[in-house]
Short mmCIF file of all heavy atoms in Angstrom, two decimals:
data_model
loop_
_atom_site.label_atom_id
_atom_site.label_comp_id
_atom_site.label_asym_id
_atom_site.label_seq_id
_atom_site.Cartn_x
_atom_site.Cartn_y
_atom_site.Cartn_z
N GLU A 1 36.38 210.89 224.93
CA GLU A 1 35.07 210.32 224.64
C GLU A 1 35.17 208.98 223.90
O GLU A 1 34.25 208.19 223.94
CB GLU A 1 34.24 211.32 223.86
CG GLU A 1 34.89 211.78 222.58
CD GLU A 1 34.21 213.00 221.97
OE1 GLU A 1 34.01 213.97 222.70
OE2 GLU A 1 33.89 212.93 220.79
N ALA A 2 36.31 208.72 223.26
CA ALA A 2 36.49 207.45 222.55
C ALA A 2 37.06 206.36 223.46
O ALA A 2 37.15 205.21 223.06
CB ALA A 2 37.41 207.65 221.35
N ARG A 3 37.40 206.73 224.68
CA ARG A 3 38.08 205.78 225.56
C ARG A 3 37.22 204.56 225.88
O ARG A 3 37.71 203.42 225.89
CB ARG A 3 38.50 206.48 226.84
CG ARG A 3 39.37 205.61 227.72
CD ARG A 3 39.85 206.36 228.93
NE ARG A 3 40.88 205.58 229.62
CZ ARG A 3 41.43 205.95 230.74
NH1 ARG A 3 41.09 207.10 231.30
NH2 ARG A 3 42.34 205.21 231.32
N ALA A 4 35.93 204.76 226.14
CA ALA A 4 35.06 203.63 226.50
C ALA A 4 34.97 202.62 225.36
O ALA A 4 35.07 201.40 225.58
CB ALA A 4 33.68 204.14 226.88
N GLY A 5 34.79 203.09 224.14
CA GLY A 5 34.72 202.19 222.99
C GLY A 5 36.03 201.47 222.76
O GLY A 5 36.04 200.26 222.45
N LEU A 6 37.12 202.18 222.92
CA LEU A 6 38.43 201.57 222.74
C LEU A 6 38.69 200.52 223.82
O LEU A 6 39.23 199.45 223.53
CB LEU A 6 39.52 202.64 222.77
CG LEU A 6 40.94 202.19 222.50
CD1 LEU A 6 41.05 201.47 221.16
CD2 LEU A 6 41.89 203.37 222.56
N ALA A 7 38.26 200.80 225.03
CA ALA A 7 38.43 199.83 226.12
C ALA A 7 37.67 198.53 225.82
O ALA A 7 38.17 197.44 226.10
CB ALA A 7 37.96 200.43 227.44
N LEU A 8 36.50 198.64 225.23
CA LEU A 8 35.74 197.43 224.85
C LEU A 8 36.47 196.62 223.79
O LEU A 8 36.50 195.38 223.84
CB LEU A 8 34.35 197.82 224.36
CG LEU A 8 33.39 198.34 225.42
CD1 LEU A 8 32.09 198.84 224.77
CD2 LEU A 8 33.10 197.28 226.46
N VAL A 9 37.06 197.31 222.83
CA VAL A 9 37.82 196.62 221.78
C VAL A 9 39.02 195.91 222.40
O VAL A 9 39.31 194.75 222.09
CB VAL A 9 38.27 197.63 220.69
CG1 VAL A 9 39.28 197.02 219.75
CG2 VAL A 9 37.07 198.14 219.92
N LEU A 10 39.72 196.60 223.30
CA LEU A 10 40.89 196.00 223.93
C LEU A 10 40.51 194.83 224.84
O LEU A 10 41.25 193.85 224.94
CB LEU A 10 41.67 197.06 224.72
CG LEU A 10 42.23 198.22 223.89
CD1 LEU A 10 43.01 199.16 224.79
CD2 LEU A 10 43.06 197.75 222.71
N ASP A 11 39.34 194.93 225.47
CA ASP A 11 38.86 193.81 226.28
C ASP A 11 38.68 192.55 225.44
O ASP A 11 38.94 191.44 225.90
CB ASP A 11 37.54 194.15 226.97
CG ASP A 11 37.73 195.06 228.17
OD1 ASP A 11 38.89 195.25 228.59
OD2 ASP A 11 36.71 195.57 228.67
N GLU A 12 38.24 192.74 224.21
CA GLU A 12 38.08 191.59 223.30
C GLU A 12 39.43 190.90 223.09
O GLU A 12 39.53 189.68 223.10
CB GLU A 12 37.50 192.05 221.97
CG GLU A 12 37.29 190.94 220.99
CD GLU A 12 36.78 191.44 219.64
OE1 GLU A 12 36.09 192.48 219.60
OE2 GLU A 12 37.08 190.79 218.64
N TRP A 13 40.48 191.69 222.86
CA TRP A 13 41.83 191.13 222.71
C TRP A 13 42.22 190.37 223.97
O TRP A 13 42.71 189.25 223.91
CB TRP A 13 42.84 192.23 222.41
CG TRP A 13 44.26 191.73 222.41
CD1 TRP A 13 45.09 191.65 223.49
CD2 TRP A 13 44.99 191.22 221.30
NE1 TRP A 13 46.30 191.12 223.10
CE2 TRP A 13 46.26 190.86 221.77
CE3 TRP A 13 44.69 191.05 219.95
CZ2 TRP A 13 47.24 190.33 220.94
CZ3 TRP A 13 45.67 190.52 219.12
CH2 TRP A 13 46.92 190.16 219.62
N ASN A 14 42.04 190.99 225.13
CA ASN A 14 42.44 190.38 226.39
C ASN A 14 41.70 189.08 226.68
O ASN A 14 42.26 188.18 227.30
CB ASN A 14 42.25 191.36 227.55
CG ASN A 14 43.27 192.47 227.53
OD1 ASN A 14 44.39 192.30 227.06
ND2 ASN A 14 42.89 193.62 228.05
N ARG A 15 40.45 188.98 226.23
CA ARG A 15 39.69 187.74 226.44
C ARG A 15 40.15 186.62 225.52
O ARG A 15 40.07 185.44 225.86
CB ARG A 15 38.20 187.99 226.21
CG ARG A 15 37.51 188.64 227.38
CD ARG A 15 36.00 188.61 227.21
NE ARG A 15 35.54 189.27 225.99
CZ ARG A 15 35.32 190.58 225.88
NH1 ARG A 15 35.51 191.36 226.91
NH2 ARG A 15 34.89 191.09 224.75
N SER A 16 40.65 186.96 224.34
CA SER A 16 40.98 185.93 223.36
C SER A 16 42.47 185.63 223.25
O SER A 16 42.84 184.62 222.63
CB SER A 16 40.42 186.32 221.99
OG SER A 16 41.04 187.51 221.53
N LYS A 17 43.31 186.46 223.82
CA LYS A 17 44.77 186.26 223.71
C LYS A 17 45.41 186.29 225.10
O LYS A 17 44.99 187.02 225.97
CB LYS A 17 45.41 187.37 222.87
CG LYS A 17 44.81 187.55 221.50
CD LYS A 17 45.22 186.45 220.57
CE LYS A 17 44.80 186.73 219.15
NZ LYS A 17 43.58 186.11 218.74
N LEU A 18 46.46 185.52 225.25
CA LEU A 18 47.18 185.49 226.52
C LEU A 18 48.12 186.68 226.64
O LEU A 18 48.24 187.28 227.71
CB LEU A 18 47.94 184.17 226.64
CG LEU A 18 48.66 183.90 227.94
CD1 LEU A 18 47.67 183.93 229.10
CD2 LEU A 18 49.37 182.57 227.88
N PHE A 19 48.82 187.01 225.57
CA PHE A 19 49.79 188.11 225.58
C PHE A 19 49.64 188.96 224.35
O PHE A 19 49.27 188.44 223.31
CB PHE A 19 51.22 187.57 225.63
CG PHE A 19 51.55 186.85 226.88
CD1 PHE A 19 51.78 185.50 226.87
CD2 PHE A 19 51.64 187.54 228.08
CE1 PHE A 19 52.11 184.82 228.03
CE2 PHE A 19 51.97 186.87 229.25
CZ PHE A 19 52.20 185.51 229.22
N PRO A 20 50.03 190.20 224.36
CA PRO A 20 50.26 191.03 225.53
C PRO A 20 48.93 191.46 226.15
O PRO A 20 47.90 191.44 225.48
CB PRO A 20 51.01 192.24 224.99
CG PRO A 20 50.51 192.38 223.59
CD PRO A 20 50.25 190.97 223.13
N LYS A 21 48.95 191.83 227.40
CA LYS A 21 47.77 192.41 228.03
C LYS A 21 47.75 193.89 227.67
O LYS A 21 48.78 194.56 227.72
CB LYS A 21 47.79 192.22 229.55
CG LYS A 21 47.55 190.78 229.93
CD LYS A 21 46.24 190.27 229.33
CE LYS A 21 46.06 188.79 229.48
NZ LYS A 21 45.02 188.27 228.62
N VAL A 22 46.59 194.38 227.26
CA VAL A 22 46.50 195.74 226.77
C VAL A 22 45.42 196.52 227.52
O VAL A 22 44.45 195.94 228.01
CB VAL A 22 46.21 195.76 225.24
CG1 VAL A 22 47.38 195.18 224.47
CG2 VAL A 22 44.95 194.98 224.90
N TYR A 23 45.62 197.82 227.61
CA TYR A 23 44.67 198.68 228.29
C TYR A 23 44.87 200.12 227.83
O TYR A 23 45.88 200.43 227.18
CB TYR A 23 44.82 198.56 229.81
CG TYR A 23 46.24 198.74 230.31
CD1 TYR A 23 46.71 199.99 230.66
CD2 TYR A 23 47.10 197.65 230.42
CE1 TYR A 23 48.01 200.16 231.12
CE2 TYR A 23 48.39 197.81 230.87
CZ TYR A 23 48.84 199.06 231.23
OH TYR A 23 50.12 199.22 231.68
N THR A 24 43.91 200.97 228.15
CA THR A 24 44.03 202.38 227.78
C THR A 24 44.72 203.15 228.89
O THR A 24 44.67 202.78 230.05
CB THR A 24 42.65 203.02 227.52
OG1 THR A 24 41.89 202.98 228.71
CG2 THR A 24 41.93 202.33 226.40
N VAL A 25 45.39 204.23 228.49
CA VAL A 25 45.99 205.17 229.42
C VAL A 25 45.54 206.57 229.00
O VAL A 25 45.24 206.81 227.83
CB VAL A 25 47.53 205.08 229.45
CG1 VAL A 25 47.98 203.77 230.04
CG2 VAL A 25 48.13 205.26 228.08
N LEU A 26 45.46 207.45 229.95
CA LEU A 26 45.04 208.82 229.68
C LEU A 26 46.11 209.77 230.19
O LEU A 26 46.06 210.21 231.33
CB LEU A 26 43.69 209.09 230.34
CG LEU A 26 42.94 210.33 229.90
CD1 LEU A 26 42.70 210.34 228.40
CD2 LEU A 26 41.62 210.43 230.63
N PRO A 27 47.10 210.10 229.33
CA PRO A 27 48.16 211.01 229.75
C PRO A 27 47.62 212.43 229.98
O PRO A 27 46.47 212.72 229.69
CB PRO A 27 49.15 210.99 228.58
CG PRO A 27 48.69 209.95 227.65
CD PRO A 27 47.28 209.60 227.99
N ASP A 28 48.48 213.30 230.47
CA ASP A 28 48.09 214.67 230.78
C ASP A 28 47.61 215.47 229.58
O ASP A 28 46.88 216.44 229.73
CB ASP A 28 49.26 215.42 231.43
CG ASP A 28 49.58 214.88 232.81
OD1 ASP A 28 48.69 214.26 233.43
OD2 ASP A 28 50.71 215.08 233.28
N ASP A 29 48.01 215.08 228.36
CA ASP A 29 47.62 215.84 227.18
C ASP A 29 46.18 215.56 226.74
O ASP A 29 45.69 216.15 225.79
CB ASP A 29 48.58 215.60 226.03
CG ASP A 29 48.60 214.16 225.54
OD1 ASP A 29 47.82 213.33 226.05
OD2 ASP A 29 49.41 213.87 224.65
N GLY A 30 45.49 214.62 227.41
CA GLY A 30 44.10 214.34 227.10
C GLY A 30 43.90 213.32 226.00
O GLY A 30 42.77 212.91 225.74
N MET A 31 44.95 212.90 225.33
CA MET A 31 44.85 211.89 224.28
C MET A 31 44.72 210.52 224.93
O MET A 31 45.27 210.27 225.99
CB MET A 31 46.10 211.91 223.39
CG MET A 31 46.33 213.21 222.66
SD MET A 31 45.18 213.46 221.33
CE MET A 31 45.72 212.24 220.19
N VAL A 32 43.96 209.64 224.30
CA VAL A 32 43.84 208.27 224.80
C VAL A 32 44.96 207.46 224.18
O VAL A 32 45.15 207.46 222.97
CB VAL A 32 42.47 207.67 224.43
CG1 VAL A 32 42.40 206.21 224.86
CG2 VAL A 32 41.35 208.46 225.07
N GLY A 33 45.70 206.77 225.02
CA GLY A 33 46.79 205.94 224.54
C GLY A 33 46.49 204.47 224.82
O GLY A 33 45.63 204.13 225.61
N ILE A 34 47.22 203.62 224.13
CA ILE A 34 47.11 202.17 224.34
C ILE A 34 48.43 201.69 224.90
O ILE A 34 49.49 201.99 224.35
CB ILE A 34 46.80 201.43 223.03
CG1 ILE A 34 45.44 201.88 222.49
CG2 ILE A 34 46.83 199.93 223.24
CD1 ILE A 34 45.13 201.31 221.12
N CYS A 35 48.36 200.94 225.97
CA CYS A 35 49.55 200.37 226.58
C CYS A 35 49.47 198.85 226.48
O CYS A 35 48.40 198.27 226.67
CB CYS A 35 49.62 200.82 228.04
SG CYS A 35 51.19 200.46 228.82
N ALA A 36 50.58 198.24 226.15
CA ALA A 36 50.64 196.77 226.08
C ALA A 36 51.79 196.32 226.96
O ALA A 36 52.85 196.92 226.97
CB ALA A 36 50.87 196.32 224.64
N GLU A 37 51.54 195.26 227.72
CA GLU A 37 52.60 194.76 228.59
C GLU A 37 52.65 193.24 228.57
O GLU A 37 51.64 192.57 228.38
CB GLU A 37 52.44 195.27 230.01
CG GLU A 37 51.19 194.84 230.71
CD GLU A 37 51.08 195.44 232.10
OE1 GLU A 37 51.43 196.61 232.30
OE2 GLU A 37 50.63 194.69 232.98
N GLN A 38 53.85 192.76 228.76
CA GLN A 38 54.08 191.33 228.80
C GLN A 38 55.14 191.11 229.87
O GLN A 38 56.19 191.74 229.84
CB GLN A 38 54.58 190.87 227.43
CG GLN A 38 54.37 189.44 227.17
CD GLN A 38 54.36 189.16 225.68
OE1 GLN A 38 53.90 189.95 224.88
NE2 GLN A 38 54.87 188.01 225.30
N CYS A 39 54.87 190.27 230.83
CA CYS A 39 55.78 190.07 231.97
C CYS A 39 56.42 188.69 231.92
O CYS A 39 55.77 187.71 231.59
CB CYS A 39 55.00 190.22 233.28
SG CYS A 39 54.28 191.84 233.49
N TYR A 40 57.69 188.68 232.27
CA TYR A 40 58.44 187.43 232.36
C TYR A 40 59.20 187.43 233.68
O TYR A 40 59.66 188.47 234.13
CB TYR A 40 59.44 187.29 231.20
CG TYR A 40 58.78 187.26 229.86
CD1 TYR A 40 58.74 188.39 229.06
CD2 TYR A 40 58.20 186.10 229.39
CE1 TYR A 40 58.13 188.36 227.82
CE2 TYR A 40 57.57 186.06 228.15
CZ TYR A 40 57.56 187.20 227.37
OH TYR A 40 56.95 187.17 226.16
N ASP A 41 59.35 186.28 234.26
CA ASP A 41 60.09 186.15 235.51
C ASP A 41 61.44 185.49 235.23
O ASP A 41 61.51 184.30 234.94
CB ASP A 41 59.28 185.30 236.50
CG ASP A 41 59.95 185.19 237.85
OD1 ASP A 41 61.01 185.81 238.05
OD2 ASP A 41 59.40 184.47 238.70
N PHE A 42 62.48 186.29 235.28
CA PHE A 42 63.84 185.78 235.05
C PHE A 42 64.64 185.77 236.35
O PHE A 42 65.86 185.84 236.32
CB PHE A 42 64.57 186.63 234.01
CG PHE A 42 63.98 186.54 232.64
CD1 PHE A 42 63.50 187.66 231.99
CD2 PHE A 42 63.92 185.33 231.98
CE1 PHE A 42 62.97 187.58 230.72
CE2 PHE A 42 63.39 185.23 230.71
CZ PHE A 42 62.92 186.35 230.08
N GLU A 43 63.96 185.67 237.47
CA GLU A 43 64.64 185.73 238.77
C GLU A 43 65.69 184.63 238.90
O GLU A 43 66.76 184.85 239.45
CB GLU A 43 63.63 185.61 239.90
CG GLU A 43 64.26 185.74 241.27
CD GLU A 43 63.24 185.71 242.39
OE1 GLU A 43 62.04 185.81 242.13
OE2 GLU A 43 63.67 185.57 243.54
N ILE A 44 65.39 183.45 238.38
CA ILE A 44 66.35 182.34 238.51
C ILE A 44 67.38 182.34 237.38
O ILE A 44 68.25 181.49 237.33
CB ILE A 44 65.63 180.98 238.58
CG1 ILE A 44 64.83 180.71 237.31
CG2 ILE A 44 64.77 180.89 239.81
CD1 ILE A 44 64.25 179.31 237.22
N GLY A 45 67.27 183.32 236.48
CA GLY A 45 68.22 183.42 235.38
C GLY A 45 67.63 182.91 234.07
O GLY A 45 66.56 182.31 234.05
N ALA A 46 68.34 183.19 233.01
CA ALA A 46 67.92 182.75 231.67
C ALA A 46 69.15 182.64 230.79
O ALA A 46 70.11 183.40 230.94
CB ALA A 46 66.93 183.74 231.07
N THR A 47 69.10 181.71 229.87
CA THR A 47 70.20 181.57 228.92
C THR A 47 70.02 182.60 227.80
O THR A 47 68.95 183.19 227.64
CB THR A 47 70.22 180.17 228.30
OG1 THR A 47 69.03 180.01 227.51
CG2 THR A 47 70.29 179.08 229.37
N ARG A 48 71.06 182.79 227.05
CA ARG A 48 70.98 183.70 225.89
C ARG A 48 69.89 183.23 224.92
O ARG A 48 69.13 184.02 224.39
CB ARG A 48 72.33 183.78 225.19
CG ARG A 48 72.32 184.70 223.97
CD ARG A 48 73.70 184.80 223.35
NE ARG A 48 74.64 185.48 224.20
CZ ARG A 48 74.82 186.79 224.24
NH1 ARG A 48 74.10 187.56 223.48
NH2 ARG A 48 75.73 187.33 225.04
N ALA A 49 69.80 181.92 224.71
CA ALA A 49 68.78 181.37 223.80
C ALA A 49 67.37 181.66 224.33
O ALA A 49 66.47 182.01 223.56
CB ALA A 49 68.99 179.87 223.62
N GLN A 50 67.18 181.52 225.63
CA GLN A 50 65.86 181.82 226.21
C GLN A 50 65.51 183.29 226.05
O GLN A 50 64.37 183.63 225.74
CB GLN A 50 65.83 181.43 227.70
CG GLN A 50 65.84 179.94 227.93
CD GLN A 50 66.07 179.60 229.39
OE1 GLN A 50 66.87 180.23 230.08
NE2 GLN A 50 65.36 178.58 229.86
N LEU A 51 66.48 184.17 226.27
CA LEU A 51 66.23 185.60 226.10
C LEU A 51 65.90 185.94 224.65
O LEU A 51 64.98 186.71 224.37
CB LEU A 51 67.43 186.42 226.57
CG LEU A 51 67.61 186.51 228.08
CD1 LEU A 51 68.91 187.23 228.42
CD2 LEU A 51 66.44 187.22 228.72
N LYS A 52 66.66 185.37 223.71
CA LYS A 52 66.40 185.62 222.30
C LYS A 52 64.99 185.17 221.92
O LYS A 52 64.26 185.88 221.22
CB LYS A 52 67.44 184.92 221.41
CG LYS A 52 68.77 185.63 221.37
CD LYS A 52 69.80 184.85 220.58
CE LYS A 52 69.42 184.77 219.12
NZ LYS A 52 70.45 184.13 218.30
N TYR A 53 64.61 183.98 222.37
CA TYR A 53 63.28 183.45 222.07
C TYR A 53 62.20 184.34 222.69
O TYR A 53 61.21 184.68 222.04
CB TYR A 53 63.16 182.01 222.58
CG TYR A 53 61.78 181.44 222.38
CD1 TYR A 53 61.39 180.96 221.13
CD2 TYR A 53 60.87 181.39 223.42
CE1 TYR A 53 60.12 180.45 220.93
CE2 TYR A 53 59.60 180.88 223.23
CZ TYR A 53 59.23 180.42 221.98
OH TYR A 53 57.96 179.92 221.79
N THR A 54 62.38 184.72 223.93
CA THR A 54 61.40 185.54 224.64
C THR A 54 61.23 186.89 223.96
O THR A 54 60.10 187.35 223.75
CB THR A 54 61.84 185.74 226.11
OG1 THR A 54 61.93 184.45 226.73
CG2 THR A 54 60.86 186.59 226.87
N ILE A 55 62.32 187.53 223.60
CA ILE A 55 62.23 188.83 222.94
C ILE A 55 61.59 188.69 221.57
O ILE A 55 60.76 189.52 221.18
CB ILE A 55 63.63 189.48 222.85
CG1 ILE A 55 64.10 189.86 224.27
CG2 ILE A 55 63.62 190.69 221.93
CD1 ILE A 55 65.55 190.27 224.36
N ALA A 56 61.93 187.64 220.84
CA ALA A 56 61.32 187.42 219.52
C ALA A 56 59.81 187.21 219.65
O ALA A 56 59.03 187.77 218.87
CB ALA A 56 61.97 186.22 218.83
N MET A 57 59.39 186.44 220.64
CA MET A 57 57.95 186.21 220.84
C MET A 57 57.26 187.50 221.27
O MET A 57 56.14 187.78 220.85
CB MET A 57 57.73 185.10 221.88
CG MET A 57 58.14 183.73 221.40
SD MET A 57 57.36 183.26 219.83
CE MET A 57 55.65 183.26 220.26
N TRP A 58 57.90 188.28 222.12
CA TRP A 58 57.35 189.55 222.57
C TRP A 58 57.12 190.47 221.37
O TRP A 58 56.05 191.05 221.20
CB TRP A 58 58.29 190.17 223.59
CG TRP A 58 57.90 191.52 224.05
CD1 TRP A 58 56.80 191.85 224.78
CD2 TRP A 58 58.60 192.74 223.83
NE1 TRP A 58 56.79 193.20 225.03
CE2 TRP A 58 57.87 193.77 224.44
CE3 TRP A 58 59.78 193.05 223.16
CZ2 TRP A 58 58.29 195.09 224.42
CZ3 TRP A 58 60.19 194.38 223.14
CH2 TRP A 58 59.45 195.37 223.76
N LEU A 59 58.13 190.59 220.52
CA LEU A 59 58.00 191.45 219.34
C LEU A 59 56.92 190.93 218.39
O LEU A 59 56.12 191.70 217.85
CB LEU A 59 59.34 191.55 218.60
CG LEU A 59 60.42 192.34 219.34
CD1 LEU A 59 61.75 192.20 218.62
CD2 LEU A 59 60.03 193.79 219.49
N ASP A 60 56.87 189.62 218.20
CA ASP A 60 55.87 189.03 217.32
C ASP A 60 54.45 189.30 217.82
O ASP A 60 53.58 189.69 217.05
CB ASP A 60 56.11 187.52 217.19
CG ASP A 60 55.11 186.86 216.25
OD1 ASP A 60 55.05 187.26 215.07
OD2 ASP A 60 54.37 185.97 216.72
N THR A 61 54.22 189.11 219.11
CA THR A 61 52.87 189.34 219.63
C THR A 61 52.51 190.81 219.61
O THR A 61 51.35 191.17 219.36
CB THR A 61 52.70 188.77 221.06
OG1 THR A 61 53.67 189.36 221.92
CG2 THR A 61 52.82 187.26 221.08
N LEU A 62 53.47 191.70 219.85
CA LEU A 62 53.18 193.14 219.76
C LEU A 62 52.84 193.55 218.33
O LEU A 62 51.94 194.37 218.11
CB LEU A 62 54.35 193.96 220.29
CG LEU A 62 54.53 193.96 221.80
CD1 LEU A 62 55.80 194.71 222.18
CD2 LEU A 62 53.33 194.57 222.50
N LEU A 63 53.54 192.99 217.36
CA LEU A 63 53.24 193.31 215.97
C LEU A 63 51.85 192.78 215.58
O LEU A 63 51.10 193.45 214.88
CB LEU A 63 54.31 192.72 215.05
CG LEU A 63 55.67 193.43 215.11
CD1 LEU A 63 56.71 192.65 214.31
CD2 LEU A 63 55.56 194.86 214.62
N ARG A 64 51.52 191.57 216.04
CA ARG A 64 50.18 191.04 215.77
C ARG A 64 49.10 191.91 216.41
O ARG A 64 48.06 192.16 215.80
CB ARG A 64 50.06 189.60 216.29
CG ARG A 64 50.65 188.60 215.34
CD ARG A 64 50.19 187.23 215.70
NE ARG A 64 51.38 186.45 216.04
CZ ARG A 64 51.36 185.31 216.65
NH1 ARG A 64 50.23 184.80 217.06
NH2 ARG A 64 52.46 184.66 216.89
N PHE A 65 49.35 192.35 217.63
CA PHE A 65 48.39 193.22 218.29
C PHE A 65 48.25 194.53 217.53
O PHE A 65 47.14 195.02 217.30
CB PHE A 65 48.80 193.53 219.74
CG PHE A 65 47.97 194.62 220.34
CD1 PHE A 65 46.65 194.40 220.64
CD2 PHE A 65 48.52 195.87 220.55
CE1 PHE A 65 45.87 195.42 221.17
CE2 PHE A 65 47.75 196.89 221.08
CZ PHE A 65 46.42 196.67 221.39
N SER A 66 49.34 195.10 217.10
CA SER A 66 49.30 196.37 216.37
C SER A 66 48.49 196.24 215.08
O SER A 66 47.69 197.11 214.75
CB SER A 66 50.74 196.82 216.12
OG SER A 66 50.94 197.31 214.88
N GLU A 67 48.66 195.14 214.35
CA GLU A 67 47.87 194.92 213.14
C GLU A 67 46.40 194.72 213.48
O GLU A 67 45.51 195.26 212.81
CB GLU A 67 48.40 193.70 212.38
CG GLU A 67 49.78 193.93 211.78
CD GLU A 67 50.41 192.66 211.26
OE1 GLU A 67 49.77 191.57 211.32
OE2 GLU A 67 51.55 192.74 210.78
N TRP A 68 46.14 193.97 214.54
CA TRP A 68 44.76 193.72 214.95
C TRP A 68 44.06 195.00 215.36
O TRP A 68 42.93 195.25 214.93
CB TRP A 68 44.75 192.71 216.10
CG TRP A 68 43.38 192.41 216.62
CD1 TRP A 68 42.51 191.48 216.15
CD2 TRP A 68 42.73 193.04 217.72
NE1 TRP A 68 41.36 191.49 216.88
CE2 TRP A 68 41.47 192.44 217.86
CE3 TRP A 68 43.08 194.05 218.60
CZ2 TRP A 68 40.57 192.83 218.83
CZ3 TRP A 68 42.20 194.43 219.58
CH2 TRP A 68 40.95 193.82 219.69
N VAL A 69 44.70 195.82 216.16
CA VAL A 69 44.06 197.06 216.63
C VAL A 69 43.84 198.02 215.46
O VAL A 69 42.85 198.72 215.43
CB VAL A 69 44.83 197.69 217.81
CG1 VAL A 69 46.02 198.53 217.37
CG2 VAL A 69 43.90 198.54 218.66
N ASP A 70 44.74 198.05 214.50
CA ASP A 70 44.53 198.88 213.30
C ASP A 70 43.28 198.45 212.56
O ASP A 70 42.54 199.29 212.04
CB ASP A 70 45.74 198.79 212.35
CG ASP A 70 46.88 199.70 212.77
OD1 ASP A 70 46.68 200.57 213.63
OD2 ASP A 70 47.99 199.51 212.23
N ASP A 71 43.02 197.15 212.50
CA ASP A 71 41.82 196.66 211.83
C ASP A 71 40.53 196.98 212.61
O ASP A 71 39.46 197.11 212.03
CB ASP A 71 41.89 195.13 211.64
CG ASP A 71 42.94 194.73 210.62
OD1 ASP A 71 43.36 195.58 209.83
OD2 ASP A 71 43.33 193.54 210.64
N GLN A 72 40.66 197.10 213.93
CA GLN A 72 39.48 197.31 214.78
C GLN A 72 39.05 198.77 214.85
O GLN A 72 37.86 199.05 215.01
CB GLN A 72 39.75 196.82 216.20
CG GLN A 72 40.11 195.36 216.28
CD GLN A 72 39.05 194.46 215.70
OE1 GLN A 72 37.88 194.58 216.02
NE2 GLN A 72 39.45 193.54 214.83
N VAL A 73 39.98 199.70 214.78
CA VAL A 73 39.61 201.12 214.94
C VAL A 73 39.72 201.90 213.67
O VAL A 73 39.95 201.54 212.64
CB VAL A 73 40.47 201.82 216.02
CG1 VAL A 73 40.06 201.35 217.38
CG2 VAL A 73 41.94 201.61 215.81
#
């Protein structure tokens, strides 16, 4: 029953931020979960420095999202 309200909150994040994209999931146990995803295309390869930077940015944006969602719910 809280899924609709949570989806609206997550939509606000998605409208104002580029990454990560977030949405609700409904596993078999009936609990509402939050999923966050960030996609990168490394088909042509990446240097170690690029990977380090990408992973650091991914972690930073996930931590910011986690703090933001805690403030919202």
Side-chain angles (χ1 to χ4, degrees):
E1 57 193 51
R3 188 176 190 184
L6 184 56
L8 290 174
V9 169
L10 298 182
D11 283 349
E12 181 183 331
W13 173 272
N14 288 331
R15 281 191 302 275
S16 63
K17 305 286 189 263
L18 185 58
F19 294 112
K21 289 304 171 196
V22 294
Y23 51 91
T24 62
V25 292
L26 194 56
D28 292 338
D29 63 3
M31 298 288 290
V32 176
I34 297 174
C35 191
E37 62 182 40
Q38 202 157 325
C39 298
Y40 299 100
D41 183 4
F42 293 121
E43 183 176 348
I44 61 172
T47 66
R48 180 177 293 273
Q50 289 169 321
L51 286 174
K52 283 176 66 175
Y53 176 79
T54 300
I55 292 169
M57 291 306 298
W58 175 66
L59 291 172
D60 182 59
T61 58
L62 286 175
L63 289 172
R64 279 195 241 166
F65 169 70
S66 138
E67 292 169 2
W68 179 86
V69 82
D70 279 347
D71 291 341
Q72 301 302 311
V73 288

